[in-house]
Amino acid sequence: MTLTELISKLDERFTIINLSDDADQRQLSKVFCCDLLSFAMARNPADSVWVTVMGNVNTIGVMSLTDGAAVIIAENAAIDEIAAKKAVEQNIAVIKTALPVFETALTIHELIK
Amino acid sequence: MNLNFTYDVDSEDFTRAGEASADIKKKLKKMNVPHEAVRKVAIAMYEGEINMVIHANGGVITVSVNEDSITMVLADKGPGIPDVEKAMQEGFSTAPDNIRALGFGAGMGLPNMKKYTDEMHIDTEIGVGTTVTMKVNI
Ligand SMILES: Nc1ncnc2c1ncn2[C@@H]1O[C@H](COP(=O)(O)OP(=O)(O)OP(=O)(O)O)[C@@H](O)[C@H]1O
Ligand SMILES: [Mg+2]
């Protein structure tokens, strides 16, 4: 499933903060959950959907270095302005939701499996 | 082919942490370096770059690329590492609370650097600084 297809299936509980240019070609691999950046750096699979509560600029940095497809900030956690700007600059898809991490991951997993 | 890149890593500007690694990744991709080597360099250099920012007030990174390897030298004038063996253990971290709040401090940076490079060497002296040299074979 492509990122564009996933986004078209998301209901109103999800808000798109930024979309990447290649979303319609980006084939999603799997869901990944973690908040510690050094773990995410080493383990986030390419083309993943990464669910975390860390909405700072380093999250965007890790996304860009690990080639993740999209990051979802769960629990209504804050996405700071610098991170939002960096996401646009680096062409990283960012989605936001009030759902907890587990429910978010499960919802995405069911949609892309 | 032998290319060298130099980056000043600024400790004041936390928002730019990781930019040197992101830039190298982009360059290596353009040079058609194999995907796996690019991933290893990106992970190892990012961890080293962040360490320079959070533990050592910044520093200088030089990256040299040739046909069969990529070498990264990360030099800082920070406090040095008192016990390298301990610092290399998974889970060991002296990161303060404000840094942990950003998602750092798992104590996985140095272990990641070791794991994702073919050679790694740490030169450190208390009060003088730390130089980490890492090599990834292509
Ligand atoms: N360049 C450096 N200068 C001084 N001390 C360092 C340097 N790099 C690492 N250290 C020390 O080694 C410890 C372990 O580093 P490591 O990168 O493994 O973990 P961390 O940076 O604390 O957390 P993480 O990388 O998982 O976010 C650090 O907490 C710090 O005490
Ligand atoms: Mg570290």
Side-chain angles (χ1 to χ4, degrees):
Chain A
M1 177 185 285
T2 66
L3 180 55
T4 305
E5 282 165 340
L6 171 68
I7 283 169
S8 70
K9 290 191 176 168
L10 294 176
D11 59 33
E12 68 290 341
R13 295 174 300 174
F14 295 86
T15 309
I16 314 302
I17 305 289
N18 187 52
L19 199 50
S20 44
D21 298 342
D22 62 350
D24 53 346
Q25 288 127 52
R26 209 47 161 351
Q27 290 292 338
L28 303 173
S29 59
K30 50 162 91 171
V31 185
F32 175 77
C33 301
C34 187
D35 299 318
L36 290 170
L37 294 168
S38 290
F39 275 95
M41 192 65 213
R43 311 260 161 85
N44 187 29
D47 303 316
S48 72
V49 178
W50 175 21
V51 185
T52 176
V53 293
M54 285 292 167
N56 65 58
V57 67
N58 303 298
T59 307
I60 307 301
V62 170
M63 272 294 287
S64 140
L65 287 166
T66 56
D67 290 318
V71 59
I72 304 188
I73 310 296
E75 296 275 13
N76 240 341
I79 300 167
D80 66 43
E81 218 171 283
I82 302 161
K85 224 177 99 196
K86 188 91 153 195
V88 175
E89 258 172 47
Q90 302 214 348
N91 197 30
I92 304 290
V94 182
I95 301 168
K96 193 180 161 112
T97 182
L99 290 177
V101 171
F102 178 74
E103 274 83 347
T104 305
L106 190 61
T107 306
I108 304 301
H109 175 75
E110 292 294 330
L111 289 170
I112 71 176
K113 76 175 182 193
Chain B
M1 173 184 70
N2 196 346
L3 287 165
N4 289 296
F5 305 101
T6 304
Y7 297 91
D8 278 314
V9 178
D10 188 350
S11 71
E12 302 301 307
D13 193 356
F14 216 92
T15 65
R16 292 188 52 206
E19 277 186 6
S21 315
D23 189 69
I24 278 295
K25 184 187 171 200
K26 218 182 293 166
K27 288 197 165 81
L28 295 179
K29 262 182 154 174
K30 266 196 206 134
M31 290 157 70
N32 288 323
V33 172
H35 187 80
E36 201 41 39
V38 176
R39 180 176 157 82
K40 286 178 174 173
V41 169
I43 292 172
M45 185 163 149
Y46 178 79
E47 295 288 5
E49 185 179 354
I50 295 291
N51 279 354
M52 289 173 107
V53 174
I54 66 183
H55 305 298
N57 302 313
V60 177
I61 304 179
T62 45
V63 182
S64 7
V65 185
N66 63 37
E67 265 105 65
D68 41 45
S69 68
I70 296 153
T71 305
M72 298 159 266
V73 179
L74 295 82
D76 68 57
K77 294 189 165 61
I81 304 175
D83 186 340
V84 173
E85 209 180 304
K86 205 165 165 191
M88 287 299 301
Q89 287 172 8
E90 293 191 2
F92 177 83
S93 174
T94 60
D97 284 350
N98 64 322
I99 298 295
R100 288 177 192 262
L102 294 170
F104 297 113
M108 289 301 291
L110 288 172
N112 278 350
M113 288 155 73
K114 173 101 191 149
K115 183 169 162 197
Y116 286 94
T117 55
D118 294 293
E119 280 171 43
M120 173 171 161
H121 181 75
I122 300 178
D123 255 319
T124 186
E125 195 178 333
I126 301 300
V128 178
T130 301
T131 299
V132 182
T133 307
M134 296 181 285
K135 191 169 159 188
V136 170
N137 296 330
I138 297 180

